[in-house]
Amino acid sequence: LANGEHHVSPDCQSCELYKQSPSEPQFKSLMCLPIIYGRTPSGRPRLLGLINLHNKQSVRPWSDEHVHMIEPWADITALAILANHHELTMLPNRPFTEYLVTEAIGRSRPLYVAYIDLDDFGAVNEAFGHRPANEVIQQFAASLRQDASEGVTLCHMHGDEFVLLIEDRTRDEALAKVNAVLMHVGESQDKFQS
């Protein structure tokens, strides 16, 4: 699937992909279509997700006609994902972050927002160019993502600007979470520089 090809299993009992599932197969046949957008820096298709079609009734092969009927939905889904996520990091983007904040406020629960940016990042961009700078942003986002937990949403606003949304925590718990994230980012930065 990572190479952009669809996967069809006419019999789920013999499907290796399905056997790896933690639950017992409930379906007779399966078709997976990758949701692809663009390519990674290494040239591989960028996998955003999967559309899975299951058939509970019978074991039957999926035809090319089925695949062609579903492929446009994979394209539409890719556009919907990209409308709400930053293309570089696939984290929620500014408009989606604003929506998440509005929703959180509407739930009348505690919400803490931490703004994080990279100091002097413009100098990295100027000195090394966009591609290396983008790689730094992706590594930084990956480092932040490792610390995201339940009730913590990492968002990529723009360029080197990130936001942590921390819900349902006390003020002290939220501050401790932000400090833990920044500590981990500092450790990752030390590893990256050495």
Side-chain angles (χ1 to χ4, degrees), residues 52-194:
N52 294 323
L53 298 177
H54 301 98
N55 186 332
K56 288 184 175 185
Q57 304 303 318
S58 65
V59 173
R60 67 181 174 95
W62 295 89
S63 70
D64 286 342
E65 183 178 332
H66 291 112
V67 173
H68 295 304
M69 286 172 36
I70 302 302
E71 280 178 331
W73 290 104
D75 294 339
I76 291 167
T77 303
L79 291 175
I81 291 170
L82 291 169
N84 293 311
H85 294 81
H86 194 284
E87 185 177 352
L88 186 60
T89 58
M90 295 313 297
L91 295 171
N93 61 13
R94 182 181 300 273
F96 193 42
T97 301
E98 291 170 0
Y99 169 79
L100 293 173
V101 168
T102 302
E103 288 293 305
I105 291 170
R107 289 191 292 273
S108 299
R109 295 183 176 155
L111 172 68
Y112 297 92
V113 179
Y115 175 82
I116 302 169
D117 80 333
L118 299 172
D119 291 339
D120 301 319
F121 187 72
V124 172
N125 219 349
E126 289 175 26
F128 300 103
H130 290 297
R131 181 169 288 177
N134 285 347
E135 289 175 14
V136 169
I137 291 291
Q138 288 172 324
Q139 289 177 1
F140 181 73
S143 181
L144 287 174
R145 190 181 280 123
Q146 289 178 353
D147 285 310
S149 58
E150 190 173 329
V152 177
T153 304
L154 172 62
C155 305
H156 187 175
M157 303 303 278
H158 178 75
D160 65 339
E161 301 172 8
F162 293 84
V163 167
L164 282 178
L165 304 178
I166 305 169
E167 292 188 73
D168 297 327
R169 306 279 171 91
T170 66
R171 182 177 182 275
D172 290 341
E173 289 172 334
L175 284 173
K177 185 63 183 171
V178 170
N179 286 329
V181 167
L182 293 177
M183 183 83 80
H184 181 252
V185 167
E187 291 169 3
S188 296
Q189 183 180 2
D190 293 341
K191 290 177 189 172
F192 179 67
Q193 289 176 344
S194 55

